[in-house]
Amino acid sequence: MLFTCIILNFKTPILNKIKSPSMKKKLLLLLLILPLSITLLHAQNLPEAALNIHLGSQNFTKNNMMPNQIVASDEKGIYITKIKLSDELRGKSEFPIIEFYNHQMELMAYHQLHAKNHDTPPRFEQITQVGDRLYCFYSTYDKGQNQKKLWADEIEKSTLSLRQSPFCLQSFSPQKKAKFKIAKFHLKLSDDNNTILATFKQPGAKNDTDTFNFKVVDQEMKEIWSSQLKAPYNNSQYVTTNIHLSISGDLYLLNKAAPSEKALAKFWEPNYHYSIIAITDQGKTQTTIQPQVQGKHFTKMQISTNHNNQLVCAGFYTDQLQNTTSGSYFLTLKGQKITQKSFQAFEPKSDEGQAKGSKVENQKYLYTYLLNDIEFRGDGSAVLIAEQTSQSPGASFTSHNHLPMANSIFNTIAVVSIAPEGEIMWTKKIHKNQLSPEGYSFFSSYATAVLHDKIYLVFNDHPENLSTEESDPVRFNPKAAKKELMIAMVELDWNGHIKKEALSFSRDLHLLTKPLACKQVSSHQMVVLGQYNNAYRMARLDFEKTFSYQ
């Protein structure tokens, strides 16, 4: 304000020397705008807590091709895919455009991917970085030969084009009786990203067992081992919730099983249990493990392996003796034996979640959490992050545009911090309220960056939710007015202290992000997409390099 007053006080003598009325108006306008511009520039460069933001240039979409997912990063920059908005809304898989951005977040190159030399149209599966190599995975189906195949073709990073020398990873003949249960290929990286699992499940007849087919390959797509597995349950009585490939090449399948199909469908009732199938010794040994602790029901479970290659489980539990008690747990196993266990009840107010009913009713919210993979830090400590998700009734499609009618809802995020010795330190809940209408779920959920002593969560939110007052969060809707949009960042330190703020470039420009288009790219860096309508830009967040437990 002082700077503005000084200019206004001295503008009169200057204007008196200019005889042209139009020039006077232009100079006056310039003098009025200059202080405001300097103020805005200063506001955008205000230092944020332990964070530097490097914002790239603004880009614009063409032919409705939208930025979709960061698929890889290396010492030169990041690789992100773009797909048509209509395909993004419908969840279709078409070959994308791949873009390369340097470390200054500037677009340097792009290329439309195409797979050639196939008799039948290929179906895009995904792009994955294995080791330091970038691969495009796609599948083909030959109706005449009744053969479905999974292919891997390397993407040349210098040109962003396929080498057109694909390698067939897996193939099978779909069963004609299983027309509506045709097997799909799935891919899962190891924790060090140097090996990858390709798998598909051939469904058995009704009330029969399924057959899993596994193949583990290195970054050159050379086979390490392959194996088959008959599921230990009838196919209507279980669901595989996760597959984990350890650095040593061991494979673990996490299954949720129930006495009947009806019992399995009632996910909100404790009529199920978790079991783990361990495939070790290069696929030669198969063992079934069922973690159990007397008096505890594991409502949610996730698996991983620690730095000592030991199997670990983490998630949420309810106390069977005191039905109103719930919390987090962490287990370390050696074979069938639990060698270490830690349970921690939720804080009283943390139990309530978004519900306003009785404590027993609020327990049902535990069953709606989706668990992310367990992440281990260099010191052996671990982090588990989960999110409450639900869907409104009517999961059908509109007749005029074939978009899903159901609304997806993404609510509270729960973060569990585990000390290096396996003891749970704390569980914190970050309340949010995201509504995703008609297929717009790619604007919901969250992205994470796990540092040595901090955890960062990035998600879209309503600006009113930055208030420090205790209240139910205002609902975020990606179709809302621009002033009701922002990208929020939550910081949790080593002791579980929470700090929430809006990312500065989002606060000024009212941008949205897509969690799939955000990625931690180093031990202290994260890349975030900012988008509004057809304009978008990439931002690199550089966090302060600290390591303090106090």
Side-chain angles (χ1 to χ4, degrees), residues 104-205:
Q104 286 71 46
M105 297 294 100
E106 299 296 338
L107 176 61
M108 303 302 293
Y110 64 91
H111 185 77
Q112 171 70 61
L113 295 178
H114 292 286
K116 302 177 181 178
N117 305 320
H118 290 283
D119 296 330
T120 57
R123 181 184 186 275
F124 174 74
E125 297 286 343
Q126 67 184 63
I127 295 174
T128 303
Q129 182 170 324
V130 187
D132 57 0
R133 299 189 177 189
L134 191 58
Y135 286 94
C136 176
F137 295 91
Y138 60 90
S139 59
T140 58
Y141 176 59
D142 189 326
K143 290 184 179 180
Q145 297 182 1
N146 192 33
Q147 276 282 308
K148 187 169 184 179
K149 296 181 179 180
L150 176 66
W151 302 87
D153 197 1
E154 188 172 358
I155 299 174
E156 182 61 57
K157 290 185 177 180
S158 60
T159 62
L160 299 182
S161 59
L162 294 177
R163 290 192 169 180
Q164 303 300 343
S165 55
F167 176 79
C168 183
L169 282 179
Q170 287 183 309
S171 65
F172 66 92
S173 297
Q175 302 171 10
K176 293 182 180 180
K177 291 183 179 179
K179 182 177 180 182
F180 299 103
K181 291 185 177 180
I182 190 167
K184 295 180 180 180
F185 294 108
H186 296 279
L187 297 158
K188 188 67 181 285
L189 279 168
S190 61
D191 285 342
D192 61 359
N193 295 342
N194 287 326
T195 56
I196 189 169
L197 166 75
T199 179
F200 64 90
K201 180 180 68 175
Q202 289 179 295

Side-chain angles (χ1 to χ4, degrees), residues 245-309:
L245 177 63
S246 73
I247 295 175
S248 64
D250 295 333
L251 189 64
Y252 299 91
L253 274 73
L254 177 62
N255 297 308
K256 177 182 172 183
S260 66
E261 183 177 3
K262 187 176 181 180
L264 185 64
K266 293 183 177 181
F267 66 90
W268 60 92
E269 293 184 0
N271 297 322
Y272 59 87
H273 67 272
Y274 286 97
S275 68
I276 303 162
I277 300 175
I279 304 174
T280 55
D281 302 326
Q282 301 288 292
K284 300 181 182 68
T285 304
Q286 298 176 2
T287 309
T288 300
I289 303 166
Q290 188 171 330
Q292 290 181 319
V293 174
Q294 188 174 3
K296 310 289 186 186
H297 176 254
F298 298 134
T299 59
K300 288 290 179 178
M301 181 177 287
Q302 188 55 284
I303 58 173
S304 187
T305 46
N306 60 20
H307 294 337
N308 296 321
N309 201 37

Side-chain angles (χ1 to χ4, degrees), residues 7 31 38 144 179 197 200 220 224 294 310 357 359 422 527:
I7 289 180
L31 292 172
I38 294 174
K179 182 177 180 182
L197 166 75
F200 64 90
E220 296 179 351
I224 298 174
Q294 188 174 3
Q310 296 172 305
K359 256 197 167 184
V527 174

Side-chain angles (χ1 to χ4, degrees), residues 226-263:
S226 59
S227 179
Q228 275 194 341
L229 168 71
K230 277 282 188 181
Y233 309 102
N234 290 340
N235 53 22
S236 61
Q237 298 176 5
Y238 85 101
V239 60
T240 300
T241 60
N242 192 26
I243 300 178
H244 173 73
L245 177 63
S246 73
I247 295 175
S248 64
D250 295 333
L251 189 64
Y252 299 91
L253 274 73
L254 177 62
N255 297 308
K256 177 182 172 183
S260 66
E261 183 177 3
K262 187 176 181 180

